[in-house]
Amino acid sequence: MNHPYNSVMPLKHLVSFDKLLRKYEEQLTGDDPFLAATAKRILDAQSQYPELRDGFTDFALLEEYKEVIDTILQDTFTEALSTNEIKVATLPYRDVIIKSTKRFQKIISEAGKEYQPEMRSLGEDMDYIMSCVVILNFHYGFEFDFSRPYFYDIPDAQGVMRHYRILYNADFIEIIATEKAKDITQDDVDELLENPYDVALWMEKIPPESFISKGFVIANLFDVTAEQAISDIKSKLISKNNLRPVNFMEELQETFKSFFKLPNIKVGFASYDSKSDRFEEIIGMSFNSFLLHGQDHLSCKTALCMESYDKLINDNAYFIITDIDRFVETNGGVEPYTALKEQQIKSAIFAPIAFEGKLLGVLEVVSERKGVLNGVNAQKLDDVMPFIVSAVVRAKNEENNRIDAIIQNECTSVHSSVYWKFQEEAKRFMGDELEGRPTAFREIIFKDVYPLFGQIDIKDSSKARNLAIQRDLMIQLSEIANVLTLAMDKWHLPIYEELIFRVNNHLESIKEMLYTNSEQAIFDFVHDEITPVFEHLKKSDSTIEKHILAYEAKIDMGTGSYYDHRKNYDESVTLINKKLSAVIDKKQESAQNMYPHYYERFKTDGVEHNMYIGESISEDLEYNQLYLNNLRLWQLQVMCEMENVHYALKPELPVPLDATSLILVYNTSLSIRFRMDEKQFDVDGTYNARYEVIKKRIDKSYIKGTEERLTKKGMLSIVYSQKKDELEYLRYIKFLKSKGYFTNKIEIVELEGLQGVSGLKAIRAEILYKTEKAPDKTYTYNDLIDTLKE
């Protein structure tokens, strides 16, 4: 704490030994002749220098009176303990050395010739206020807890910062009021306590140099370097705003030097990704990693040898290398020894950071000297690991939150199977952003994936919807005609007769068929011409008003039309979609366990789904044709189960709608690209576009040479183009027939050519509907093979 001697403080310091000398005067008349003789010798030595009792402010006199001061303080600074105790005679809160032990002198000497000991300051304002609190306690008699720790921060001979806590012994000091001192009341104290940081108020109540501190204090110093380092590590890591400053890593390394009492150590950190079993850098933080050796990420099995992999990854235990050069000679080019040697590292401690049994990363402590990091001082890390774990957990959570926010902003929702790819891109995006580089979220592409498409469509949904609208319009027009007839009967106005005529014309026009423009024409007619007339009639006659109000009660506020049959239709479609979506969504959870694949499901007039499977989607799993076979078999089963759910639901529907099912088999791999503008995946490239054309048009196709549509109630249609697909699916159908999914009615048909597409065929297999609930079992391709072997 660097106080200029003329700095403003409430206490004026006088160096004085009067209070200590009075103790010796008491010993002169005591019963112990040895103590009396010592007291006489000390008092005689001081008697020629009255200023040592009266006090002085010229600190240059400390050197002039050094010998006599040493004599006065000989009992306080026992020679036998001088090389062990760290003790200083000084002034309170001042960097004034009156006398010190040899141990203190050695510490100062090792700090360097230019080093001047300075106490760690609380800040000049707080130093003033703390001095005022001392005065309130010792002079005015108020009782406050004013104990605040003070420290010396002194580098040792190796340049490692050591920390010493100061404990004051104030037995030999007294506080004396001057004419500047004011009376202090309880109200004054209350006001001060309400404004603990208002130094101007404290200076008003207790003015500068309004008191004299006469005497000296004994400062006992204790080495608290380890405790201080732990505290610093804790505050640096737990503080929310500390994790990303530019100088954070440098400060943390300095703290670890104090913690280990080693000047030449460095600290690094490697994040661990359990899904890919690799080490990664933490984006946007100033952590370096000696395991990664400058790379963004590295497989753990590449970065580590078997022993270190087992220790860190499997056992979550410390891995310690005391002599890296010897390990390189013994093990050849095995990692991590070679990479560490290239970085001039001679010894190292790698400490796993784990939370709730999951490895999050590895703390790396390395040194350019062999043997200085070892199994003994590695145990010191036990004291700080909880804080490091806490910081890493928070950093990981914050990183995940930032990644989620980027993905949500750039891509909206993303299926879990491909989320890893978006995470990678989001990390790159975030790194560019934090480094100040231009940011753009690149398109995500998965190559060589196999598509699967299926849909359960509501049969003749357009006809059913139009029929519902037609019936509602006919009822609405009939109601309008009834009201207008009442008005005509009462007032016999030609306008009512003309309106009735036009209403009947509309009724006649939709009696047989609802044309595309009929609904809008009737809506405009009612809105523009009938509604104003009805508003007039409501005010004209109470009986007609009741009829109009009854009519209006049946009008839907959203559509402005009758909504009865259409409501039944919409509710039926909604219920079908909800039930069928629930089936496939639930089944998808188990399908992902077979092999990760992309899945998306849409609700239209029915439910359709897309799936893509391939090695590029699975992140790190090896792909095999078996997984595609499994998914195709799974899809067949689920489509049959969805059909059964619809079959059971149909009697409960307001409108008993039928459904038809279709699967498209495509045997060529393709690429899919996430379209940033549309926020969804689509096939990539002109060649692959043929698949999308087939998918969009197939449900409207006809059987070749007939007027019969491909999709048929009670039949699952499987569209394909290659003979091997036909044989594959016939095997699946035969197997599932034995499990009660299909009947014996199976047919193979050719399809009329679609625009730009020809040569398609289809298997139509009749679904076996069950009255009882089907067992919740999904058969696999292995089950099929086992059955064929029987």
Side-chain angles (χ1 to χ4, degrees), residues 58 64 78 208 238 253 370 603 663 750:
D58 182 3
E64 183 179 336
T78 306
I238 290 181
Q253 289 197 149
K370 76 173 184 179
K603 294 178 183 177
I663 286 174
E750 284 190 61

Side-chain angles (χ1 to χ4, degrees), residues 45-146:
Q46 178 275 324
S47 62
Q48 302 176 43
Y49 308 101
E51 56 267 44
L52 294 180
R53 275 187 182 269
D54 299 337
F56 56 89
T57 57
D58 182 3
F59 300 127
L61 295 177
L62 291 173
E63 185 62 31
E64 183 179 336
Y65 297 140
K66 184 177 183 306
E67 288 187 15
V68 66
I69 290 173
D70 285 347
T71 301
I72 294 171
L73 297 177
Q74 69 176 28
D75 289 341
T76 310
F77 288 79
T78 306
E79 183 66 24
L81 299 176
S82 185
T83 57
N84 184 41
E85 289 185 332
I86 312 173
K87 189 161 66 174
V88 182
T90 182
L91 297 178
Y93 314 127
R94 292 277 187 168
D95 297 318
V96 177
I97 308 300
I98 298 172
K99 182 176 175 62
S100 60
T101 61
K102 291 179 180 177
R103 173 83 183 275
F104 179 83
Q105 293 165 18
K106 182 182 179 185
I107 290 170
I108 298 301
S109 173
E110 289 179 348
K113 291 182 180 179
E114 304 300 320
Y115 179 78
Q116 292 293 325
E118 293 180 4
M119 274 193 292
R120 193 187 304 169
S121 176
L122 299 176
E124 284 198 17
D125 289 352
M126 283 307 300
D127 289 337
Y128 190 99
I129 291 170
M130 288 302 297
S131 296
C132 289
V133 173
V134 171
I135 292 168
L136 289 173
N137 276 271
F138 287 96
H139 178 76
Y140 290 104
F142 295 99
E143 295 184 3
F144 300 119
D145 180 6
F146 65 96

Side-chain angles (χ1 to χ4, degrees), residues 581-597:
S581 297
V583 173
I584 192 168
D585 287 349
K586 180 66 176 174
K587 291 288 184 179
Q588 251 293 304
E589 295 174 10
S590 60
Q592 291 293 340
N593 293 330
M594 298 179 189
Y595 191 86
H597 56 278

